[in-house]
Amino acid sequence: MTDVSLDKVKEIITQLEANPTDLYNNSFFITWRYPKETVNAVLLVAEALKRLHKAGKSVRVFDTGLGLSIFRDNSTRTRYSFKSACNMLGLGTEELNESTSQIAHGETVRETAAMISFLSEVIGIRDDMFIGEGHRYQKEVSDSIQESFDHGILPQRTSVVNLQCDLDHPTQVLADLSHIINYFGGVENLRGKKVAMTWAYSPSYGKPLSVPQGVIGLMSRFGMDISLAYPEGYDLLDEPVEAAKKFSQETGGSFTLTHSMAEAFKDADVVYPKSWAPFTVMQERTQLLRSGRSAELKALEERALAQNATHKDWECTEEMMKLTRGGKALYCHCLPADISGVSCKEGECAASVFERYRLDTYAEACYKPFVIAAMIILTRFQNPVKTLTQLLERDQPRRTVC
Amino acid sequence: MTDVSLDKVKEIITQLEANPTDLYNNSFFITWRYPKETVNAVLLVAEALKRLHKAGKSVRVFDTGLGLSIFRDNSTRTRYSFKSACNMLGLGTEELNESTSQIAHGETVRETAAMISFLSEVIGIRDDMFIGEGHRYQKEVSDSIQESFDHGILPQRTSVVNLQCDLDHPTQVLADLSHIINYFGGVENLRGKKVAMTWAYSPSYGKPLSVPQGVIGLMSRFGMDISLAYPEGYDLLDEPVEAAKKFSQETGGSFTLTHSMAEAFKDADVVYPKSWAPFTVMQERTQLLRSGRSAELKALEERALAQNATHKDWECTEEMMKLTRGGKALYCHCLPADISGVSCKEGECAASVFERYRLDTYAEACYKPFVIAAMIILTRFQNPVKTLTQLLERDQPRRTVC
Amino acid sequence: MTDVSLDKVKEIITQLEANPTDLYNNSFFITWRYPKETVNAVLLVAEALKRLHKAGKSVRVFDTGLGLSIFRDNSTRTRYSFKSACNMLGLGTEELNESTSQIAHGETVRETAAMISFLSEVIGIRDDMFIGEGHRYQKEVSDSIQESFDHGILPQRTSVVNLQCDLDHPTQVLADLSHIINYFGGVENLRGKKVAMTWAYSPSYGKPLSVPQGVIGLMSRFGMDISLAYPEGYDLLDEPVEAAKKFSQETGGSFTLTHSMAEAFKDADVVYPKSWAPFTVMQERTQLLRSGRSAELKALEERALAQNATHKDWECTEEMMKLTRGGKALYCHCLPADISGVSCKEGECAASVFERYRLDTYAEACYKPFVIAAMIILTRFQNPVKTLTQLLERDQPRRTVC
């Protein structure tokens, strides 16, 4: 095997040995609650799988088995990434449609969890609409699976993978980070780079906080200078902010909070301008939605949109970009972006800026299936070093004929 | 191979030799219309597959092929069980969505049957809403497939598997029975055990009769004492009742009908308290639904709910459970159950009783994917003894790497 | 290998060598825009796959990978055929549901195209509702994939397969043609056969023009006499009509246009009576739908239905059939047909005629999965001769046990 990209896979496997995790027979929830080795392991396995796949090698590890998804909010790329991840590993996929199931019939979460886990290796869940709910639901599913597994009912300990909750969006931000690592030529080059995670104006309302929270809770672990910027009133939850402060200090980076987009963009190496709803709005919305008070909900929406509209200057314009390091910071976005004059009248990003980085954002998104596949391997295989070594050595093409 | 559970598979294969069936290139509809050997064969193949799967062995028998499902009523566990069964055998799955197909466009059942069978090995159908319709529809699909197969149009004789019709719910009750056999340590221990199949109060209306009919039509074949209990007016169809009487007599068991829940529970070894609609209500509902008379339908619903409400004492309480053999009968349910104070105010079962048996009901449900897989193997493979023997001997793990 | 049907596969492979195409790493759009060799290649690969499949051989060429479908209009058989094609080749399938994706959120077509192509080998698209739109959309998706592939973002050049657009319905008409070739015992026997592609009355409105356009644009390439018949005002687009004229001239056949169904049926060897909307109605409908003018849309529908109703005599009756060659022309239809007295009061075809050819139309439809699979192989494999040769030589059964 003389393929350079595959020689690199050998190196990755060596690095993986130094990053053991407790993920086996467990679930993957929130990056900032795991040790750094766990984060490293996901990044390394994802990179190895991406290289094997690009070289035309099969990374199939399952003969049969199912990957199930539950989407409680719309999704294009995460849904498709999850299904791609399952497919590349050899799992069939199903999606639980709560409206045509008997869940409305009075089924409890723990009952459903057992019922859909019989032959499942993994369940991917997006539940990001309500503050205080998404993670709790994912945890309840995971705990119920554990109970059924402990009692010998389930033949395997199906893992839950967080495809976005109210707190974190780990598959997204680990894909973002993989892209940034690749852009700067290695994780060792992140030290001292400045990342601007900034709020940006959007004509829509109620966007989750999980992406900015995930970004600061993850990128702060690599010695980077994190600048979080948003207009007053758009605070994030304390937990990820405190985590980011602590990680920055531990890794020799820094964490600063500002209410000026320009200040965040100043000399930034990476910019991530993205809208989110104020935490208090999300809380109020959760309560109103739950109690079905639609008139008040409408009033809240109008108030929130009006509040957003006072910050239309929070746009990633060419002028803003000129403030970044050499005017050439890497623009990141989880997509879809609100592009001024393209997908909306006024939005998060100027059309010319977005167009210049458009293909970069596609490349960024392309890491997600491999990040998810890495989480599946780490939660389902006891010795991922051995698993990857076998994948490399068996050298099986993705096509069965040429 | 020294795995004890796999030694047991060898025994099962030996027993299977003594239970030949006519299922090859046919469909699976209603248990009580088949010879006892057919029922035995399903139970045996299901048990063998479950053991192989639990031991981490692949039971994949197809390289490619499709399993198609048609759900004309909501479903969580049967839908998922069907897809799990297909997946473990190597089939991809699709679900026919009648609203986005051209069926509304004037397609006939026989046309649709041919169109979705091109590369299908099996079609699973749930059609349980209307008395006199579900089985007829499944039969029409199966006959149409036979016609196309006979004329050389279809390359294989796709089988139809009944995932619940108006008469029977065979995949459910064979899973129930597998669970009971396992609980008592073998089919030979069923003789003389008392099974109480009883109606129970539910605040909902229109629940199918197929589960109680399936239970009495199946469990009566093993020398058990079947006690069927329901309030006056909740009669089942004659055919399964007559079948149960005949089977009980033939196998040295007994069949009794009572209108007292307590009498049924008295000294019972197994209790299956579950709501269903009176047959006459289901008939009237079918006619009203078909003619779109919504006002009369609403009136029927109110009348039926009021009728149910006069029988709230038909609840599986702690007091009722104390009447059973040693107060410790095995509680069975097809799920989801109406649990008093949990999923409804007053329902089929007291919360404390259900909680004590909750994990048992999950274990009960876990047999369903294997029962369905057994039906697929028996309908699609000419010599299932040979098929299972090969699965056992090839000893292939479910994972392609470790 | 002494199987006669497989000896025929060897012959087909030899013929395929004489029909090279430019389809590799490309998409499949509209038959009449491709050289004749391309059309031949699809027919040959489809026939080879069908024979291998019928002989119980696996035609799996992918270890893993996805086939994605986008249906912007209802579908039973094309949807199912696409999924069957993917499955037989080893691809998992997913369907993009635009309503639960983030597309409504402001995603552009080129963004979506990249996002759903990460691990996809093929995307099948039906978009036939609006004149001037379907093909344009398919092309835009294909071009966007090309861009992402050229920039190294996508690891493979996902192909787009036209599952019906506003211009052509290639998978349908190539299946129709395969059936006709088989009926007459070989492509060499088509010369001089008369094909009547005629309009027929339907009580519905707005049926696409793509089938009749596809039929004349394809069947005219084999030396047949094409008779296109429709009432005044039901013109097809110029492009396929001009193509049909040119092809007929080149291949020694003929192309005639008439406004008499009887004239077209006279001595026909094949009849294809099928309703479609006048081109001008489709154009007007497109504009009204886009601008949401529902009152005018309703008026248009009424006007179009009234116009249709003046041509109820355009029905494929027993009397019409008597006009055909020996009264025994082969009746073709893409299904579902509007059958008088069965699926509607008065429609395209008399019930007795349809019933006589019903199983033939099923056989016709059965070619579609193989046509689609052929398009996937030709667009994804550089040397299809080698691919088929390997499939034949490896001689792998579709079942992994017997």
Side-chain angles (χ1 to χ4, degrees), chain C residues 332-351:
Chain C
C332 287
H333 201 284
C334 53
L335 304 180
D338 289 324
I339 308 159
S340 307
V342 176
S343 53
C344 59
K345 210 176 132 212
E346 296 163 295
E348 297 170 320
C349 189

PDB file of all heavy atoms in Angstrom, chain C residues 332-351:
ATOM      1  N   CYS C 332     -49.899  -1.039 -25.314  1.00  0.00           N
ATOM      2  CA  CYS C 332     -48.929  -0.585 -24.311  1.00  0.00           C
ATOM      3  C   CYS C 332     -49.517   0.547 -23.475  1.00  0.00           C
ATOM      4  O   CYS C 332     -50.326   1.350 -23.955  1.00  0.00           O
ATOM      5  CB  CYS C 332     -47.650  -0.074 -24.986  1.00  0.00           C
ATOM      6  SG  CYS C 332     -46.626  -1.382 -25.676  1.00  0.00           S
ATOM      7  N   HIS C 333     -49.086   0.635 -22.243  1.00  0.00           N
ATOM      8  CA  HIS C 333     -49.457   1.762 -21.384  1.00  0.00           C
ATOM      9  C   HIS C 333     -48.455   1.879 -20.237  1.00  0.00           C
ATOM     10  O   HIS C 333     -47.913   0.867 -19.777  1.00  0.00           O
ATOM     11  CB  HIS C 333     -50.877   1.599 -20.826  1.00  0.00           C
ATOM     12  CG  HIS C 333     -51.485   2.895 -20.374  1.00  0.00           C
ATOM     13  ND1 HIS C 333     -51.139   3.522 -19.202  1.00  0.00           N
ATOM     14  CD2 HIS C 333     -52.398   3.714 -20.977  1.00  0.00           C
ATOM     15  CE1 HIS C 333     -51.818   4.654 -19.094  1.00  0.00           C
ATOM     16  NE2 HIS C 333     -52.591   4.801 -20.161  1.00  0.00           N
ATOM     17  N   CYS C 334     -48.237   3.124 -19.798  1.00  0.00           N
ATOM     18  CA  CYS C 334     -47.272   3.343 -18.711  1.00  0.00           C
ATOM     19  C   CYS C 334     -47.891   3.075 -17.348  1.00  0.00           C
ATOM     20  O   CYS C 334     -47.182   2.990 -16.351  1.00  0.00           O
ATOM     21  CB  CYS C 334     -46.740   4.760 -18.775  1.00  0.00           C
ATOM     22  SG  CYS C 334     -48.040   6.010 -18.810  1.00  0.00           S
ATOM     23  N   LEU C 335     -49.208   2.961 -17.294  1.00  0.00           N
ATOM     24  CA  LEU C 335     -49.981   2.700 -16.073  1.00  0.00           C
ATOM     25  C   LEU C 335     -49.842   3.845 -15.053  1.00  0.00           C
ATOM     26  O   LEU C 335     -48.800   4.443 -14.989  1.00  0.00           O
ATOM     27  CB  LEU C 335     -49.586   1.374 -15.410  1.00  0.00           C
ATOM     28  CG  LEU C 335     -49.696   0.131 -16.292  1.00  0.00           C
ATOM     29  CD1 LEU C 335     -49.276  -1.095 -15.514  1.00  0.00           C
ATOM     30  CD2 LEU C 335     -51.125  -0.042 -16.806  1.00  0.00           C
ATOM     31  N   PRO C 336     -50.856   4.130 -14.260  1.00  0.00           N
ATOM     32  CA  PRO C 336     -52.170   3.509 -14.323  1.00  0.00           C
ATOM     33  C   PRO C 336     -52.989   4.067 -15.489  1.00  0.00           C
ATOM     34  O   PRO C 336     -52.931   5.261 -15.788  1.00  0.00           O
ATOM     35  CB  PRO C 336     -52.803   3.901 -12.991  1.00  0.00           C
ATOM     36  CG  PRO C 336     -52.149   5.182 -12.600  1.00  0.00           C
ATOM     37  CD  PRO C 336     -50.760   5.135 -13.181  1.00  0.00           C
ATOM     38  N   ALA C 337     -53.750   3.191 -16.157  1.00  0.00           N
ATOM     39  CA  ALA C 337     -54.613   3.597 -17.264  1.00  0.00           C
ATOM     40  C   ALA C 337     -55.995   3.989 -16.729  1.00  0.00           C
ATOM     41  O   ALA C 337     -56.432   3.492 -15.694  1.00  0.00           O
ATOM     42  CB  ALA C 337     -54.755   2.430 -18.249  1.00  0.00           C
ATOM     43  N   ASP C 338     -56.632   4.893 -17.434  1.00  0.00           N
ATOM     44  CA  ASP C 338     -58.034   5.216 -17.123  1.00  0.00           C
ATOM     45  C   ASP C 338     -58.909   4.229 -17.886  1.00  0.00           C
ATOM     46  O   ASP C 338     -59.117   4.377 -19.096  1.00  0.00           O
ATOM     47  CB  ASP C 338     -58.350   6.657 -17.538  1.00  0.00           C
ATOM     48  CG  ASP C 338     -57.674   7.672 -16.635  1.00  0.00           C
ATOM     49  OD1 ASP C 338     -57.559   7.422 -15.427  1.00  0.00           O
ATOM     50  OD2 ASP C 338     -57.243   8.725 -17.147  1.00  0.00           O
ATOM     51  N   ILE C 339     -59.388   3.234 -17.187  1.00  0.00           N
ATOM     52  CA  ILE C 339     -60.128   2.140 -17.815  1.00  0.00           C
ATOM     53  C   ILE C 339     -61.628   2.389 -17.663  1.00  0.00           C
ATOM     54  O   ILE C 339     -62.131   2.527 -16.547  1.00  0.00           O
ATOM     55  CB  ILE C 339     -59.758   0.786 -17.169  1.00  0.00           C
ATOM     56  CG1 ILE C 339     -58.233   0.626 -17.165  1.00  0.00           C
ATOM     57  CG2 ILE C 339     -60.424  -0.377 -17.901  1.00  0.00           C
ATOM     58  CD1 ILE C 339     -57.736  -0.373 -16.149  1.00  0.00           C
ATOM     59  N   SER C 340     -62.321   2.449 -18.783  1.00  0.00           N
ATOM     60  CA  SER C 340     -63.756   2.762 -18.772  1.00  0.00           C
ATOM     61  C   SER C 340     -64.525   1.722 -17.965  1.00  0.00           C
ATOM     62  O   SER C 340     -64.416   0.514 -18.200  1.00  0.00           O
ATOM     63  CB  SER C 340     -64.297   2.793 -20.204  1.00  0.00           C
ATOM     64  OG  SER C 340     -63.515   3.665 -20.994  1.00  0.00           O
ATOM     65  N   GLY C 341     -65.288   2.228 -17.014  1.00  0.00           N
ATOM     66  CA  GLY C 341     -66.107   1.341 -16.213  1.00  0.00           C
ATOM     67  C   GLY C 341     -65.358   0.651 -15.088  1.00  0.00           C
ATOM     68  O   GLY C 341     -65.957  -0.080 -14.306  1.00  0.00           O
ATOM     69  N   VAL C 342     -64.042   0.872 -15.016  1.00  0.00           N
ATOM     70  CA  VAL C 342     -63.262   0.272 -13.921  1.00  0.00           C
ATOM     71  C   VAL C 342     -62.723   1.379 -13.018  1.00  0.00           C
ATOM     72  O   VAL C 342     -63.168   1.542 -11.892  1.00  0.00           O
ATOM     73  CB  VAL C 342     -62.116  -0.612 -14.452  1.00  0.00           C
ATOM     74  CG1 VAL C 342     -61.265  -1.147 -13.300  1.00  0.00           C
ATOM     75  CG2 VAL C 342     -62.675  -1.752 -15.298  1.00  0.00           C
ATOM     76  N   SER C 343     -61.787   2.158 -13.539  1.00  0.00           N
ATOM     77  CA  SER C 343     -61.231   3.223 -12.704  1.00  0.00           C
ATOM     78  C   SER C 343     -61.891   4.579 -12.976  1.00  0.00           C
ATOM     79  O   SER C 343     -61.591   5.562 -12.311  1.00  0.00           O
ATOM     80  CB  SER C 343     -59.722   3.308 -12.901  1.00  0.00           C
ATOM     81  OG  SER C 343     -59.401   3.415 -14.270  1.00  0.00           O
ATOM     82  N   CYS C 344     -62.771   4.616 -13.963  1.00  0.00           N
ATOM     83  CA  CYS C 344     -63.529   5.846 -14.246  1.00  0.00           C
ATOM     84  C   CYS C 344     -64.711   5.463 -15.134  1.00  0.00           C
ATOM     85  O   CYS C 344     -64.781   4.336 -15.637  1.00  0.00           O
ATOM     86  CB  CYS C 344     -62.645   6.870 -14.965  1.00  0.00           C
ATOM     87  SG  CYS C 344     -61.975   6.254 -16.513  1.00  0.00           S
ATOM     88  N   LYS C 345     -65.640   6.397 -15.334  1.00  0.00           N
ATOM     89  CA  LYS C 345     -66.833   6.086 -16.124  1.00  0.00           C
ATOM     90  C   LYS C 345     -66.449   5.888 -17.594  1.00  0.00           C
ATOM     91  O   LYS C 345     -66.745   4.856 -18.203  1.00  0.00           O
ATOM     92  CB  LYS C 345     -67.865   7.210 -15.969  1.00  0.00           C
ATOM     93  CG  LYS C 345     -69.305   6.731 -16.098  1.00  0.00           C
ATOM     94  CD  LYS C 345     -70.285   7.870 -15.836  1.00  0.00           C
ATOM     95  CE  LYS C 345     -71.331   7.909 -16.937  1.00  0.00           C
ATOM     96  NZ  LYS C 345     -71.813   9.246 -17.234  1.00  0.00           N
ATOM     97  N   GLU C 346     -65.799   6.895 -18.143  1.00  0.00           N
ATOM     98  CA  GLU C 346     -65.331   6.805 -19.529  1.00  0.00           C
ATOM     99  C   GLU C 346     -63.861   7.179 -19.531  1.00  0.00           C
ATOM    100  O   GLU C 346     -63.488   8.187 -18.911  1.00  0.00           O
ATOM    101  CB  GLU C 346     -66.102   7.793 -20.402  1.00  0.00           C
ATOM    102  CG  GLU C 346     -67.588   7.494 -20.498  1.00  0.00           C
ATOM    103  CD  GLU C 346     -68.377   8.707 -21.021  1.00  0.00           C
ATOM    104  OE1 GLU C 346     -68.400   9.733 -20.301  1.00  0.00           O
ATOM    105  OE2 GLU C 346     -68.926   8.615 -22.122  1.00  0.00           O
ATOM    106  N   GLY C 347     -63.040   6.422 -20.224  1.00  0.00           N
ATOM    107  CA  GLY C 347     -61.616   6.709 -20.125  1.00  0.00           C
ATOM    108  C   GLY C 347     -60.826   6.352 -21.365  1.00  0.00           C
ATOM    109  O   GLY C 347     -61.361   6.335 -22.482  1.00  0.00           O
ATOM    110  N   GLU C 348     -59.559   6.042 -21.165  1.00  0.00           N
ATOM    111  CA  GLU C 348     -58.634   5.814 -22.272  1.00  0.00           C
ATOM    112  C   GLU C 348     -58.870   4.484 -22.980  1.00  0.00           C
ATOM    113  O   GLU C 348     -58.592   4.353 -24.168  1.00  0.00           O
ATOM    114  CB  GLU C 348     -57.189   5.821 -21.735  1.00  0.00           C
ATOM    115  CG  GLU C 348     -56.735   7.147 -21.127  1.00  0.00           C
ATOM    116  CD  GLU C 348     -55.402   7.024 -20.391  1.00  0.00           C
ATOM    117  OE1 GLU C 348     -55.185   6.002 -19.698  1.00  0.00           O
ATOM    118  OE2 GLU C 348     -54.583   7.940 -20.508  1.00  0.00           O
ATOM    119  N   CYS C 349     -59.368   3.506 -22.238  1.00  0.00           N
ATOM    120  CA  CYS C 349     -59.373   2.152 -22.783  1.00  0.00           C
ATOM    121  C   CYS C 349     -60.603   1.389 -22.307  1.00  0.00           C
ATOM    122  O   CYS C 349     -60.994   1.486 -21.137  1.00  0.00           O
ATOM    123  CB  CYS C 349     -58.095   1.435 -22.319  1.00  0.00           C
ATOM    124  SG  CYS C 349     -57.818  -0.153 -23.126  1.00  0.00           S
ATOM    125  N   ALA C 350     -61.203   0.606 -23.192  1.00  0.00           N
ATOM    126  CA  ALA C 350     -62.329  -0.239 -22.818  1.00  0.00           C
ATOM    127  C   ALA C 350     -61.847  -1.340 -21.876  1.00  0.00           C
ATOM    128  O   ALA C 350     -60.726  -1.839 -22.009  1.00  0.00           O
ATOM    129  CB  ALA C 350     -62.950  -0.858 -24.066  1.00  0.00           C
ATOM    130  N   ALA C 351     -62.701  -1.715 -20.934  1.00  0.00           N
ATOM    131  CA  ALA C 351     -62.313  -2.692 -19.912  1.00  0.00           C
ATOM    132  C   ALA C 351     -61.896  -4.028 -20.529  1.00  0.00           C
ATOM    133  O   ALA C 351     -60.916  -4.640 -20.109  1.00  0.00           O
ATOM    134  CB  ALA C 351     -63.468  -2.897 -18.933  1.00  0.00           C
TER     135      ALA C 351
END
